[in-house]
Amino acid sequence: MKNILLIPVGGTICTEVNDIGTLSVSKTAGIKLKSYFEDSDSLYAKKVNIEVAENLCILSENMTVAKWNVIIDTYRKYTKTKKYDGIIFAHGTDTLAYSAALFSILLSATDTPVFFVSANERLESPRSNGNDNFRCAVECIARGIKPNVYVTYKNLSDNRMYLHLASRIEQCKNYSEDFYSVGAIDITSGEP
């Protein structure tokens, strides 16, 4: 059984429609991601234990150095006394590339695979790629991917899932829902 820590940072992957019909960050986003995965047809759904950290409720477009420090402190708090087989950050797309690049530097000597996942739309939307991105990260950890900092993201333009090194991912272009990087691996139909 692989033990995975999920840290819901915020962003669209962590939102839901509120009582007045607008999107807001959900305190239960991590639990929803975990539940969707456990209820999926993944071969690994019963072979991993996902622990959910507190939701940081940080919208990606509001990212600052102080908020990065909150994310780093949360990571340290949870990994200080417990060893995980993998860590997943659920993060918004607006600053995904910047946070992923920062963590690729901070965790350059990691002995644990670390993933950043995000979503183009809230998880309940039929257009959302969030559950696919999360599932791919969990399955990569469950299969024993080597330690590094990664981003898994399913591009909407070609409907393909890509595995990116966090240090190489580019910010998505204006009016685009796709991420690219040098050396990205298309893992749509198999293992990385």
Side-chain angles (χ1 to χ4, degrees):
M1 178 82 58
K2 298 271 187 173
N3 290 309
I4 298 171
L5 174 64
L6 168 60
I7 301 175
V9 174
T12 302
I13 195 166
C14 294
T15 61
E16 65 184 1
V17 177
N18 60 29
D19 294 340
I20 61 170
T22 60
L23 287 180
S24 59
V25 178
S26 167
K27 293 275 189 192
T28 62
I31 295 165
K32 282 184 183 179
L33 275 168
K34 175 183 175 179
S35 178
Y36 285 144
F37 180 75
E38 290 173 344
D39 293 341
S40 76
D41 61 354
S42 173
L43 299 174
Y44 301 99
K46 305 296 184 222
K47 297 179 181 179
V48 297
N49 175 50
I50 301 170
E51 180 181 334
V52 181
E54 76 253 26
N55 192 322
L56 301 179
C57 298
I58 301 170
L59 290 174
S60 185
E61 62 269 23
N62 298 331
M63 191 60 67
T64 63
V65 171
K67 290 177 181 175
W68 272 328
N69 285 328
V70 170
I71 299 168
I72 293 164
D73 290 344
T74 302
Y75 169 85
R76 288 180 179 149
K77 173 179 140 183
Y78 278 89
T79 59
K80 187 176 193 173
T81 59
K82 189 170 180 184
K83 175 71 174 141
Y84 294 95
D85 298 300
I87 313 286
I88 301 174
F89 291 96
H91 193 287
T93 57
D94 287 347
T95 55
L96 174 70
Y98 307 118
S99 294
L102 172 66
F103 273 80
S104 72
I105 295 167
L106 294 174
L107 302 177
S108 62
T110 186
D111 61 353
T112 304
V114 175
F115 282 82
F116 279 79
V117 298
S118 60
N120 64 313
E121 292 190 14
R122 64 187 172 83
L123 295 176
E124 294 81 13
S125 169
R127 284 191 72 245
S128 180
N129 60 5
N131 286 312
D132 291 334
N133 297 336
F134 181 72
R135 177 181 174 154
C136 184
V138 171
E139 290 179 350
C140 285
I141 293 166
R143 287 192 298 256
I145 194 168
K146 73 178 191 165
N148 209 325
V149 183
Y150 302 97
V151 175
T152 50
Y153 194 83
K154 184 177 185 180
N155 283 351
L156 279 312
S157 65
D158 63 5
N159 207 34
R160 310 294 292 176
M161 178 65 71
Y162 293 95
L163 176 67
H164 305 272
L165 286 175
S167 60
R168 295 181 179 178
I169 194 162
E170 298 175 5
Q171 185 60 23
C172 70
K173 307 295 182 226
N174 290 337
Y175 310 108
S176 171
E177 296 177 305
D178 295 344
F179 282 89
Y180 299 97
S181 68
V182 173
I185 301 170
D186 181 346
I187 56 173
T188 304
S189 59
E191 296 188 27

